[in-house]
Amino acid sequence: MEKQTITIGLPRALLYYRYYALWRTFFQELDIKVAVSTPTDRDILDRGTALAIDEACLSLKIYLGHVAALVGKCDYILVPRVSNFGRHRNMCTRFESTPDLVRSVFRDSDQSFLSYEVDEEQKKTEKDAFLDLGKRLGCPPKAVKRAYKQAKKAEAAHHKARVQRYGQQYKRDALKVLIAAHSYVIEDPYMGRPVTDYLKRVGVIPLRADMVDRDGALKKGRELSPTCKWEISREILGGIAMHQDDVDGIILLSAFPCGPDAMVNELIARRVKGVPMLNLVLDSQSGTAGVETRLESFIDIIRFQEGKL
């Protein structure tokens, strides 16, 4: 009798952009199929907006739209709970509450959801979470350990390659702008990609504050804020501290109304001096004309200050 293959859905939003190499490799090593939702478009945003409360951030609305797009198309949808990686290494509370939120929103569907929990302050490590996840999926313990080991190697190699690729861009003789943003904002086709696409069209090299060695960035970020408690925000702060002298401008890119970003971006604006800075908050309004106008003005200011306009 042929073994039935499980299919797990991955919503292409939020932590997907940080962990997709880890998730994909882990499941593929266990011969589990992965189904990823299609890239964000207006339809996905509208579906997510209809499912969320008005006060939810744009990123969460998009996430719910991606979950909705996967409902009924896979055996499970992965919705992890990632709380923290230790003391003062917290994630945004949305990542702690997402499994409960998703199960509540889709309670009338027949869809099954799969979760794992990382909360190192409560001794719940990522490794233990994945070993338990594999066990619940009915996989042999040795195979699960091997799959997690391979997944961590793939995750590290993937991030290292991207960091090296961005590192080469700093050497190019062109206008360079460092973008401080979460990966799920800057990489999303509907939110952040129009920003980077526009910069490329006008001859500007878009760089990313989060594309750095993460451990080094966590240490370096203390120069800007020794008390910032959000893990990803601390990495971004570290990336700015590492590269603020290597770029011509900085764009603080966030999704409305992100609470952590509202605080951290204000901190950056107050403590990072000597480099032009644009605070760009994206909302759910259609069209990019307003965003492009602000970007055009920002680039003109940089070029004027450098005598290139």
Side-chain angles (χ1 to χ4, degrees):
M1 183 176 178
E2 186 177 349
K3 180 182 177 181
Q4 188 173 3
T5 303
I6 297 173
T7 300
I8 294 181
L10 303 181
R12 193 190 298 261
L14 292 182
L15 292 178
Y16 170 84
Y17 289 101
R18 186 178 179 90
Y19 291 123
Y20 67 86
L22 175 71
W23 293 343
R24 283 182 170 185
T25 305
F26 179 74
F27 291 126
Q28 288 171 358
E29 287 288 320
L30 295 173
D31 293 325
I32 295 173
K33 288 185 178 180
V34 170
V36 182
S37 55
T38 58
T40 308
D41 56 19
R42 186 71 201 188
D43 179 61
I44 282 179
L45 172 58
D46 287 343
R47 292 175 72 178
T49 299
L51 294 167
I53 60 173
D54 292 341
E55 293 78 10
C57 71
L58 178 60
S59 301
L60 181 57
K61 292 175 180 176
I62 286 176
Y63 182 80
L64 291 176
H66 279 281
V67 174
L70 287 169
V71 168
K73 298 178 180 178
C74 45
D75 298 293
Y76 301 96
I77 297 175
L78 182 68
V79 187
R81 186 192 309 275
V82 184
S83 178
N84 64 76
F85 300 98
R87 184 172 173 79
H88 300 312
R89 296 186 62 186
N90 299 71
M91 296 290 277
C92 173
T93 53
R94 77 162 68 92
F95 300 126
E96 191 168 0
S97 62
T98 305
D100 300 321
L101 173 65
V102 168
R103 286 189 173 94
S104 176
V105 169
F106 296 96
R107 60 187 177 277
D108 294 328
S109 73
D110 294 327
Q111 180 64 54
S112 297
F113 296 95
L114 188 66
S115 187
Y116 66 84
E117 183 174 5
V118 178
D119 184 347
E120 296 204 7
E121 286 203 86
Q122 298 298 322
K123 310 301 182 185
K124 299 177 181 179
T125 66
E126 180 188 82
K127 180 179 179 180
D128 289 341
F130 272 79
L131 296 182
D132 177 68
L133 183 64
K135 179 181 178 181
R136 283 185 281 131
L137 289 169
C139 302
K142 287 186 178 180
V144 176
K145 289 181 180 179
R146 183 172 60 252
Y148 179 70
K149 183 178 180 180
Q150 292 301 114
K152 290 302 289 184
K153 287 182 179 179
E155 178 188 35
H158 176 76
H159 183 68
K160 183 179 180 180
R162 299 184 81 190
V163 170
Q164 290 176 341
R165 188 164 65 250
Y166 274 94
Q168 294 296 320
Q169 298 296 308
Y170 286 100
K171 301 175 183 179
R172 292 178 57 187
D173 184 18
L175 204 67
K176 294 180 281 288
V177 170
L178 185 65
I179 302 177
H182 295 281
S183 58
Y184 52 83
V185 173
I186 193 170
E187 292 188 51
D188 187 89
Y190 194 84
M191 284 193 289
R193 195 173 298 168
V195 173
T196 55
D197 287 347
Y198 174 82
L199 293 174
K200 291 175 183 177
R201 285 201 307 271
V202 298
V204 176
I205 298 174
L207 296 157
R208 290 177 54 174
D210 64 331
M211 283 298 147
V212 290
D213 173 72
R214 288 171 176 164
D215 291 334
L218 289 174
K219 296 176 182 177
K220 190 71 174 177
R222 295 192 183 100
E223 294 180 9
L224 293 177
S225 173
T227 59
C228 180
K229 68 177 184 178
W230 296 295
E231 180 85 349
I232 299 176
S233 296
R234 287 176 61 197
E235 291 174 4
I236 291 172
L237 287 172
I240 293 174
M242 289 175 177
H243 292 297
Q244 66 184 79
D245 296 330
D246 303 322
V247 296
D248 302 283
I250 297 174
I251 296 176
L252 309 178
L253 186 66
S254 59
F256 180 82
C258 178
D261 278 1
M263 297 181 66
V264 174
N265 289 352
E266 179 66 20
L267 182 153
I268 295 169
R270 289 171 180 261
R271 298 193 178 181
V272 177
K273 304 298 181 183
V275 57
M277 194 175 299
L278 172 65
N279 190 359
L280 192 58
V281 181
L282 305 173
D283 59 25
S284 59
Q285 299 302 312
S286 60
T288 59
V291 171
E292 290 186 359
T293 298
R294 294 192 64 191
L295 290 170
E296 181 182 15
S297 299
F298 181 59
I299 299 306
D300 284 346
I301 289 171
I302 295 174
R303 285 176 172 153
F304 178 79
Q305 290 182 348
E306 296 186 356
K308 299 177 181 179
L309 186 65

